[in-house]
Amino acid sequence: MLAKLYALLLVTSMPNGSYHALEVDGFDFLPTCELARDGRTLLFDHFNPNDSHSAYVCIKKLPTEEKQ
């Protein structure tokens, strides 16, 4: 079973200057994550045309040790 190596995040800048990140989904391959990012960005921009404070981004997760 493949691990979810990449995370799709919705990152939003808050009025006080901080950032909020929400993990939306996980993917096995970077190109799949990027495709999902592009699709969600198109929909987000269509339904929220005045929101320039949020963006979808793909990041690689840090490896974790598996417990046996």
Side-chain angles (χ1 to χ4, degrees):
M1 179 178 201
L2 293 174
K4 303 291 185 189
L5 299 175
Y6 297 93
L8 178 64
L9 305 177
L10 175 61
V11 180
T12 304
S13 62
M14 306 305 282
N16 64 0
S18 65
Y19 292 93
H20 179 264
L22 174 68
E23 185 173 344
V24 178
D25 209 345
F27 297 91
D28 302 331
F29 302 104
L30 181 59
T32 308
C33 185
E34 292 172 339
L35 185 63
R37 176 200 64 202
D38 294 345
R40 288 178 189 244
T41 299
L42 283 172
L43 285 173
F44 189 82
D45 290 346
H46 176 73
F47 290 110
N48 304 298
N50 297 322
D51 186 359
S52 61
H53 305 290
S54 299
Y56 285 99
V57 296
C58 289
I59 62 166
K60 186 171 184 176
K61 291 184 174 184
L62 293 174
T64 58
E65 293 182 21
E66 293 184 17
K67 296 180 182 178
Q68 296 181 358

